[in-house]
Amino acid sequence: MFDDRSPIYQQIAEKIKEDILAGVLQEDEKVMSTNQYSSFYRINPATAAKGFQQLLEEGILYKKRGIGMFVSQNARETLRQQRRERFFEEVVDAMVAEARMIGIPLADVIRRIQDADGGRS
């Protein structure tokens, strides 16, 4: 599951975010404990805890004392909004800049996107 591209704790946080976005984890659903997570993935419990702490700080998870951690209300929508913003910044803005640099009219880019969409929008 884990690779060398980023720290394991960040990959843990991203995996949980992906599960929330995909609907695998629902709002107010309990998530695995850090000990369960570390045992299941055979990682250091402190590493798992750091990933969970990141999600707590971002407001994606919340803690019920003595019970565990749960998916926050509106976590999915929050994550979707963050991904939309990142998509436009990293993909669309970069595409527009590249098109301008190589002389492709934006109308051609738009037409190509519409063709790729097959009229579904």
Side-chain angles (χ1 to χ4, degrees):
M1 170 178 166
F2 303 111
D3 57 44
D4 293 334
R5 292 179 291 155
S6 61
I8 291 174
Y9 78 91
Q10 286 179 342
Q11 293 179 59
I12 290 167
E14 285 304 313
K15 169 69 170 117
I16 293 170
K17 288 177 180 181
E18 291 290 330
D19 287 347
I20 293 168
L21 281 168
V24 175
L25 289 171
Q26 302 291 319
E27 293 178 355
D28 293 318
E29 184 174 342
K30 189 174 193 271
V31 297
M32 275 195 280
S33 72
T34 55
N35 288 334
Q36 289 170 320
Y37 211 88
S38 63
S39 176
F40 185 81
Y41 290 108
R42 298 174 192 232
I43 59 172
N44 186 315
T47 301
K50 191 170 180 178
F52 279 72
Q53 183 61 38
Q54 178 180 325
L55 295 171
L56 284 168
E57 290 170 4
E58 291 178 17
I60 302 302
L61 298 180
Y62 67 93
K63 189 185 291 189
K64 286 186 181 178
R65 187 179 210 119
I67 299 175
M69 291 194 218
F70 296 79
V71 177
S72 297
Q73 289 286 319
N74 299 317
R76 186 169 191 232
E77 189 52 39
T78 298
L79 291 170
R80 288 180 76 170
Q81 186 59 36
Q82 289 172 356
R83 287 282 182 94
R84 283 185 201 108
E85 290 171 16
R86 191 168 75 203
F87 172 79
F88 283 107
E89 289 172 5
E90 295 176 2
V91 177
V92 176
D93 293 350
M95 178 181 55
V96 169
E98 178 75 9
R100 284 187 174 137
M101 187 171 66
I102 61 176
I104 299 173
L106 290 182
D108 290 354
V109 173
I110 293 167
R111 192 169 26 262
R112 181 68 177 254
I113 292 169
Q114 290 171 332
D115 290 347
D117 186 42
R120 289 186 289 261
S121 304

